[in-house]
Amino acid sequence: MPRVSIVMGSDSDMPVMSKAAQMLDKFGIEYEMRIISAHREPDIFFDYAKTAKDRGVKVIIAGAGKAAHLPGMCAALFEGPVIGIPMKTSDLGGVDSLYSIVQMPSGIPVATVAINGGANAGILAAKILSTNDDDLAAKLNSYSEEMKAGVVAKDDKLQKNGYEAFL
């Protein structure tokens, strides 16, 4: 049963949304992934969002560009947390998407990551789920330690070889 649902309005969002899936894979979290347009197929979208809990979904990650209604509509229909990923757009660089997602009305919150922030959305979903899952919390802690070790190794390289080692 999927614990996370990843939804996007277009296959053009896949390069960003797949980063969320990759993080969920890393932590061993089951998920489903869908392409559903809230504007072009509202009946399918409403069924998707209203039945998410029945499918075992605890968190929805929704990516959207331009008007970016998908995350907000998910939050209006799904009782669990929704993480919005604003997509970079050719018109306004994704600022339009970002504003649309973060400016939700009071009572309908959407946690929002950076423009094209698919990986962080996956990590945030894992952190939400880890509040009731000690094994997942341990995996997240290990991931943090791996990131720390990576920075320490890069600083060691800098100290030993100077900045030229990075050029």
Side-chain angles (χ1 to χ4, degrees):
M1 210 187 278
R3 295 170 68 190
V4 177
S5 185
I6 300 172
V7 64
M8 64 205 92
S10 170
D11 64 332
S12 64
D13 301 332
M14 190 61 73
V16 172
M17 302 307 285
S18 65
K19 291 178 183 173
Q22 290 167 358
M23 294 310 300
L24 297 175
D25 286 337
K26 180 177 183 65
F27 297 120
I29 298 170
E30 292 184 43
Y31 60 91
E32 63 182 18
M33 185 178 276
R34 301 286 308 271
I35 299 171
I36 304 172
S37 172
H39 296 121
R40 295 179 191 96
E41 47 188 12
D43 51 335
I44 294 171
F45 169 75
F46 271 74
D47 182 63
Y48 158 81
K50 287 190 170 215
T51 62
K53 181 181 176 186
D54 296 335
R55 293 190 313 276
V57 173
K58 304 292 184 201
V59 180
I60 292 177
I61 298 173
K66 300 194 180 205
H69 291 136
L70 193 62
M73 288 301 298
C74 286
L77 297 169
F78 175 64
E79 60 194 64
V82 175
I83 302 167
I85 304 174
M87 295 293 159
K88 185 174 182 181
T89 59
S90 58
D91 299 326
L92 299 172
V95 174
D96 48 345
S97 311
L98 175 66
Y99 287 164
S100 180
I101 296 171
V102 300
Q103 294 295 334
M104 290 299 298
S106 182
I108 314 293
V110 174
T112 309
V113 296
I115 295 168
N116 285 357
N120 270 352
I123 294 167
L124 181 55
K127 286 186 173 208
I128 291 168
L129 294 171
S130 76
T131 61
N132 292 315
D133 185 331
D134 291 339
D135 290 337
L136 182 53
K139 289 177 184 178
L140 283 160
N141 188 52
S142 292
Y143 178 69
S144 292
E145 290 299 319
E146 288 172 25
M147 288 191 303
K148 176 183 173 183
V151 173
V152 169
K154 289 175 186 174
D155 184 55
D156 287 346
K157 181 178 177 181
L158 175 63
Q159 299 311 310
K160 290 176 185 169
N161 303 312
Y163 72 87
E164 293 89 1
F166 293 91
L167 301 177

